[in-house]
Amino acid sequence: MKYCTKCGAQIFDEAIFCPKCGAPTQDETDKTSATLTLVAKIFMIIGCVVQGAYLIPLCWTIPMTVSYFKSVENHQPISTAFKVCSLIFVSPVAGIIMLCQDDMKNIMQ
């Protein structure tokens, strides 16, 4: 058995939500975060492909996309400035997801 990270109640290992307070378990939080990260990666790639016709913007969209992939892979924090630049220069959807992802983690925990 494991314990709820929010209220400390004892819960079953396969539980998705705490029966006492209703908070999602860590496994559910990790799944949500992984899904959001995957969606952000997809939109970063789409942003690079769409801007492929314009060579100058492509010079910063590819390095930003590669940097995001490496940061996620190495579990490094991503700065708010990087997220805003991604929103403006690469993909609005990916930038919004990145900006909201930390807020989602805080809500889910």
Side-chain angles (χ1 to χ4, degrees):
M1 290 207 145
K2 57 186 178 180
Y3 295 91
C4 175
T5 55
K6 190 153 188 147
C7 71
Q10 193 173 21
I11 55 177
F12 292 108
D13 291 334
E14 56 276 344
I16 296 174
F17 295 98
C18 173
K20 185 175 179 183
C21 70
T25 63
Q26 189 64 33
D27 296 339
E28 191 66 24
T29 303
D30 292 342
K31 288 178 191 175
T32 302
S33 180
T35 302
L36 288 174
T37 300
L38 177 64
V39 172
K41 285 181 176 181
I42 290 169
F43 277 100
M44 292 286 281
I45 291 171
I46 290 171
C48 287
V49 171
V50 168
Q51 294 186 21
Y54 311 104
L55 294 178
I56 300 294
L58 197 59
C59 292
W60 66 74
T61 59
I62 289 176
M64 288 179 73
T65 301
V66 170
S67 175
Y68 178 69
F69 273 61
K70 286 182 180 179
S71 295
V72 168
E73 184 178 309
N74 296 328
H75 303 288
Q76 296 174 334
I78 300 161
S79 70
T80 303
F82 182 87
K83 294 174 184 179
V84 171
C85 286
S86 295
L87 179 133
I88 295 169
F89 298 116
V90 183
S91 168
V93 176
I96 291 169
I97 290 171
M98 283 187 248
L99 286 167
C100 294
Q101 196 167 12
D102 289 334
D103 294 336
M104 288 298 295
K105 284 181 186 178
N106 294 336
I107 291 169
M108 297 291 284
Q109 290 181 350

